[in-house]
Amino acid sequence: MTRAAAAAPAATVFVVDDDADLREALAGLFRSVDLATATYASAAEFLNARRPDGPGCLVVDVRMPGLSGLDFQAQLADLGIHLPIILMTGHGDIPMSVRAMKAGAVDFLAKPFRDQDMLDAVTAALARDAERRSRDSGLRALRTAYDTLTARERQVLAHVTAGLMNKQIAGLLDLSEITVKIHRGHVMRKMGARSLADLVRMAEALSIKQT
């Protein structure tokens, strides 16, 4: 096993449904394709449980006692829990499905659904979450690198990525042009940028603006 494979966290499908038989049926379906599964009888049970730190998605029944699936979807967004959601219902209608999709649901499946439709939806949801996690990890790395810059280097970064030449930056900051070049070199090295285009993309991701 390679180091990358060993470090890659396993994906988990979280099933939230008050119907015990359906929970077990879905768990069996996901296990049949080697997907880790955790099941919960209610939204509250899911929220109170410890969850593995890895890619995942939620399969949630719309109609449950207490918090409904749609309200649960909204609460997750408020809590900053960004797991992709697949909603399922035996009583769905068009307005309900539109609301769910507008709120970011990956799919809205009417019961009874085909096993393959559920597996396709889960595959898409897990891919979306893996992409989000990769993007978030990259942004955290950028912020960590940015935190290593001195105050002057941050000023130079902002001006460079706004399109100013070294001579212009030197005039704005009351520095010599050679000093600006030195700061610019430090910024490129600390940020891990291979080109100005790289640095501009990093500044955009970090929402750095010229002041």
Side-chain angles (χ1 to χ4, degrees):
M1 182 181 294
T2 66
R3 181 178 308 221
T12 305
V13 183
F14 303 100
V15 179
V16 183
D17 196 311
D18 60 311
D19 183 335
D21 290 338
L22 183 57
R23 287 200 307 273
E24 289 309 308
L26 286 171
L29 172 64
F30 299 139
R31 284 195 296 266
S32 74
V33 291
D34 297 323
L35 285 173
T37 309
T39 62
Y40 309 88
S42 68
E45 185 178 330
F46 170 82
L47 291 171
N48 290 329
R50 257 186 102 175
R51 297 179 297 278
D53 180 22
C57 71
L58 277 156
V59 177
V60 181
D61 190 17
V62 168
R63 297 182 183 272
M64 296 183 292
L67 198 64
S68 73
L70 291 174
D71 290 337
F72 180 41
Q73 182 184 21
Q75 184 175 12
L76 289 172
D78 290 341
L79 292 171
I81 299 173
H82 302 296
L83 288 170
I85 296 180
I86 298 154
L87 288 163
M88 53 185 178
T89 181
H91 308 280
D93 56 24
I94 292 176
M96 188 183 292
S97 61
V98 168
R99 176 185 165 191
M101 300 303 279
K102 280 186 174 180
V106 174
D107 212 334
F108 191 96
L109 300 178
K111 300 174 185 177
F113 43 77
R114 296 188 313 135
D115 286 353
Q116 191 58 52
D117 289 339
M118 175 60 77
L119 291 174
D120 288 347
V122 163
T123 299
L126 292 175
R128 179 187 293 187
D129 196 50
E131 181 181 346
R132 176 192 63 81
R133 288 172 61 87
S134 176
R135 188 170 59 249
D136 289 351
S137 177
L139 186 56
R140 284 194 298 272
L142 278 182
R143 286 177 178 148
T144 297
Y146 182 73
D147 287 343
T148 68
L149 301 182
T150 65
R152 182 65 83 190
E153 288 166 353
R154 292 180 188 184
Q155 288 178 313
V156 170
L157 168 61
H159 291 313
V160 165
T161 54
L164 298 188
M165 305 295 290
N166 288 345
K167 186 174 181 179
Q168 294 171 298
I169 299 170
L172 281 172
L173 300 181
D174 195 24
L175 299 172
S176 69
E177 193 171 345
I178 188 64
T179 300
V180 171
K181 288 180 180 179
I182 291 170
H183 284 312
R184 184 169 177 163
H186 290 166
V187 169
M188 296 288 287
R189 177 179 55 80
K190 290 181 178 180
M191 295 299 295
R194 293 169 295 182
S195 65
L196 176 58
D198 269 354
L199 200 61
V200 169
R201 283 191 291 269
M202 292 173 180
E204 289 175 349
L206 292 168
S207 300
I208 294 170
K209 305 295 183 185
Q210 184 183 11
T211 56

